[in-house]
Amino acid sequence: MNNDITFLVVGGDLRQVYTAGALAENYKVYAAGFDVNISLPENVTAVGCTLDMPEKADIIILPLPASQNGVFVNTPFGKNNIPLTSLFSVLNDNGMVLGGRIDAKTMKIFDKYSIEAIDYFDREELSVLNAVPTAEGAVQIAMEELATTIFRQKVLVTGYGRISKVLVKILVAMGAEVTVTARKYSDLAWAEINGCRTLHTSMLKEKIGEFTLVFNTVPAVILNEEILKNAGTETLIIDLASKPGGVDFDVAGKLGLKVVWALSLPGKVAPISSGEIIASTVLNILKERRYTDG
């Protein structure tokens, strides 16, 4: 890897701060969009929202999500907006932009200016490693919301993807009685091997009332009115799915069910680890591209 690479980290939450810090251990790193009660690592140089840099960047790293509207960089800790188009004047020729969840509108801007842009959120290694802080954060929420222990809790986990696989390991180790529901019988088989009871999704309506704690990981409205009306009134539901979520929140509210929609947990519960994961993923991408030693 060429240690002469210059990075510009723009916007985002604490994950981006620690991404910058991790990269700055070996590279020159500038950062913008962190001028509201945020202290940057000592080895990261702050630049203003006008991106007044002493040199151009080889790599610009945008947050997750990169933009909320396809016009400005997502800068929750910035006093002023940073237009996406302002990035191009501080990017070296043949430079690259990396961001998380780059939507079509934002990507269209990069394409218009012939800027290579890569979505690091699409990377499998990031998704797998991010499952750990997500699962740990979900358990933390459950422990804060419940008046009982996780031990001996009757827990339902919907879906058996990356997050679920990490989550059930933690719950089983804590002594919970864990049931996994999924549509694929292969997923149910793996869940059973890993110490869980299993339930096909087609049986969810009849069985949901047996559980006191439900974690949803399916990014589709699987917990609809037909199912929710059979849930126990004391059931706690923690939705870990990205928008639009996996719960019919209006129905849950009318039924008096407690639902916590836990979005972006890695950035909230473990920003240091999450930032290091993003930094590692960025370096993996660069190794696979043209920024290699040979």
Side-chain angles (χ1 to χ4, degrees):
M1 181 70 69
N2 180 3
N3 288 70
D4 292 333
I5 296 173
T6 298
F7 290 88
L8 171 61
V9 178
V10 187
D13 54 25
L14 288 175
R15 285 174 288 188
Q16 285 282 90
V17 173
Y18 292 111
T19 297
L23 291 170
E25 293 179 5
N26 296 296
Y27 305 94
K28 185 180 294 185
V29 179
Y30 296 91
F34 303 101
D35 42 16
V36 179
N37 301 321
I38 294 293
S39 296
L40 292 172
E42 292 183 1
N43 48 358
V44 175
T45 302
V47 296
C49 62
T50 56
L51 305 181
D52 186 16
M53 295 174 57
E55 60 184 318
K56 290 188 176 184
D58 299 300
I59 306 295
I60 294 177
I61 302 179
L62 299 181
L64 196 169
S67 175
Q68 300 282 13
N69 54 17
V71 178
F72 300 108
V73 179
N74 174 27
T75 54
F77 294 125
K79 291 181 180 179
N80 301 103
N81 290 324
I82 299 178
L84 289 165
T85 52
S86 71
L87 303 174
F88 308 141
S89 63
V90 296
L91 183 65
N92 269 325
D93 294 341
N94 299 319
M96 187 187 308
V97 175
L98 294 93
R101 288 181 180 159
I102 304 177
D103 61 22
K105 186 176 180 181
T106 301
M107 191 63 79
K108 187 175 181 179
I109 293 175
F110 296 134
D111 291 341
K112 179 181 178 181
Y113 287 83
S114 299
I115 302 296
E116 182 178 14
I118 298 174
D119 195 327
Y120 58 71
F121 193 69
D122 289 338
R123 299 283 295 199
E124 180 68 11
E125 72 267 35
L126 184 141
S127 297
V128 170
L129 292 173
N130 256 348
V132 176
T134 300
E136 290 184 359
V139 172
Q140 177 182 326
I141 291 171
M143 294 175 69
E144 291 171 350
E145 294 288 341
L146 292 171
T148 57
T149 61
I150 298 295
F151 179 68
R152 290 181 178 174
Q153 198 81 221
K154 293 184 180 298
V155 182
L156 175 69
V157 178
T158 63
Y160 200 59
R162 305 180 193 95
I163 293 172
S164 294
K165 289 171 183 173
V166 177
L167 179 59
V168 299
K169 288 182 67 175
I170 297 172
L171 294 170
V172 169
M174 295 178 73
E177 184 182 300
V178 182
T179 298
V180 170
T181 180
R183 298 186 186 278
K184 295 181 180 178
Y185 289 103
S186 57
D187 287 342
L188 297 179
W190 278 112
E192 186 174 354
I193 288 174
N194 288 315
C196 303
R197 300 184 180 188
T198 59
L199 176 70
H200 192 269
T201 302
S202 62
M203 298 298 295
L204 196 51
K205 175 183 175 182
E206 289 77 13
K207 297 292 185 177
I208 193 170
E210 299 177 4
F211 304 99
T212 52
L213 175 59
V214 177
F215 292 97
N216 174 65
T217 69
V218 179
V221 183
I222 184 174
L223 298 177
N224 53 29
E225 181 175 6
E226 184 180 29
I227 292 171
L228 289 174
K229 66 183 181 183
N230 289 326
T233 56
E234 301 300 316
T235 300
L236 170 64
I237 302 173
I238 300 176
D239 192 353
L240 303 175
S242 57
K243 295 180 180 180
V247 180
D248 189 323
F249 298 105
D250 291 337
V251 169
K254 292 176 183 178
L255 293 172
L257 297 173
K258 178 63 181 274
V259 180
V260 178
W261 196 6
L263 294 173
S264 302
L265 281 180
K268 295 174 182 176
V269 303
I272 295 177
S273 297
S274 300
E276 291 172 347
I277 291 168
I278 292 173
S280 175
T281 302
V282 165
L283 294 179
N284 289 345
I285 293 171
L286 298 186
K287 288 174 184 175
E288 293 174 355
R289 299 298 219 174
R290 57 185 177 273
Y291 295 90
T292 60
D293 292 326

